[in-house]
Amino acid sequence: MTTQTYENTLVCNYPLVEHNLSIIRDQKTTPERFRNAAKRLAYILLYEAYSNLPMKTIETQTPICTTKTQIIDPKADIIIAPILRAGLAFADVAAEILPEATIRHMGMYRNEETLKPVWYYNKTPQELKNPQNTYVYVLDPMLATGNSSIETINLFLEKGMREENLTFVNLIASPQGINNIRSRFKKIRIVTAHIDEGLNEKGYIIPGLGDAGDRLFNTFG
Ligand code: URA
């Protein structure tokens, strides 16, 4: 973790991240190659994202002797919240490396005129059982305007969880998106692979990678 020009924002600019970003930005990259590179990026970003999980010390018997080991605190409620549909690029990896988590899909699309999110599916729980010990990981590859992320973040925070225990994981962020989120939430964590230049008039990230959902699912035209 090196660059940290925005508060509570981790930019994972490692060689492997840059290499795979180069693949997914290339318009000639096929959907299959795009998915594979996005998956490799998801592993790296999620290992960083999960670094805030609370730990508990236990006694473990090895074949040789007893020793103290660390596990993720079983009392922590962990929620993975992929924003449909591009967030699915990260969801399988997020659940694979943290099988204890609950997966709560969030469905919204962007109204292309207003750039505001429109809900069609909301799987947030009615209430959090243990709000002080709940850890949420919102997944959406593109942080563009930030509007859909803000909607999702609000749904969890209004249930009483701690702001610093919510992490937003994305591949590419725009400065406008980060500032939009930060103007409302000072403490949530953002983990990203890259902060790009900005947004075009249609709300797409420049240089970005185009429409992440279309590139993942091969839905052009
Ligand atoms: N969503 C995308 O898929 N790409 C962008 O550049 C912005 C929002």
Side-chain angles (χ1 to χ4, degrees):
M1 195 63 50
T2 49
T3 317
Q4 199 161 10
T5 49
Y6 294 83
E7 228 176 314
N8 295 325
T9 300
L10 308 175
V11 183
C12 305
N13 53 355
Y14 313 137
L16 261 184
V17 169
E18 296 297 332
H19 180 80
N20 283 288
L21 268 179
S22 173
I23 293 172
I24 63 172
R25 285 189 195 275
D26 185 345
Q27 64 172 352
K28 293 196 293 308
T29 294
T30 61
E32 183 189 18
R33 194 152 186 252
F34 185 97
R35 280 195 291 271
N36 288 335
K39 193 171 172 184
R40 289 192 288 273
L41 287 161
Y43 279 107
I44 300 166
L45 295 173
L46 285 156
Y47 275 117
E48 294 292 357
Y50 289 151
S51 64
N52 68 332
L53 283 168
M55 304 301 289
K56 181 181 175 201
T57 303
I58 59 166
E59 289 244 308
T60 299
Q61 178 72 48
T62 76
I64 311 297
C65 65
T66 303
T67 186
K68 290 196 188 325
T69 56
Q70 300 268 312
I71 59 168
I72 293 166
D73 187 348
K75 292 205 182 107
D77 285 333
I78 306 167
I79 297 175
I80 297 166
I83 301 182
L84 300 174
R85 65 190 165 140
L88 293 176
F90 290 170
D92 285 351
V93 173
E96 179 192 327
I97 61 175
L98 191 52
E100 296 77 10
T102 304
I103 305 172
R104 295 190 172 273
H105 294 94
M106 316 298 292
M108 70 187 91
Y109 62 87
R110 185 163 69 157
N111 179 314
E112 294 299 340
E113 275 166 25
T114 63
L115 302 185
K116 298 278 182 228
V118 181
W119 282 100
Y120 61 87
Y121 192 69
N122 168 7
K123 198 67 185 156
T124 45
Q126 291 281 332
E127 57 183 37
L128 299 174
K129 276 185 269 149
N130 189 7
Q132 291 300 303
N133 206 11
T134 294
Y135 291 77
V136 173
Y137 300 87
V138 176
L139 313 179
D140 191 354
M142 307 301 277
L143 169 48
T145 60
N147 293 337
S148 49
S149 346
I150 288 167
E151 290 271 328
T152 307
I153 292 164
N154 260 330
L155 283 179
F156 284 102
L157 294 187
E158 70 192 12
K159 294 179 166 58
M161 68 171 290
R162 297 159 73 111
E163 206 177 301
E164 60 269 38
N165 290 353
L166 190 145
T167 306
F168 180 53
V169 187
N170 61 83
L171 276 179
I172 300 181
S174 74
Q176 292 92 326
I178 296 179
N179 288 331
N180 195 7
I181 290 181
R182 276 289 165 253
S183 66
R184 292 163 171 83
F185 316 110
K186 298 283 177 247
K187 295 191 198 151
I188 72 150
R189 301 165 70 231
I190 296 176
V191 175
T192 188
H194 205 271
I195 300 174
D196 272 14
E197 287 162 28
L199 299 175
N200 68 13
E201 68 290 347
K202 291 188 172 158
Y204 279 87
I205 297 179
I206 307 169
L209 48 76
D211 187 301
D214 283 342
R215 299 209 53 197
L216 274 168
F217 299 112
N218 199 12
T219 48
F220 298 100

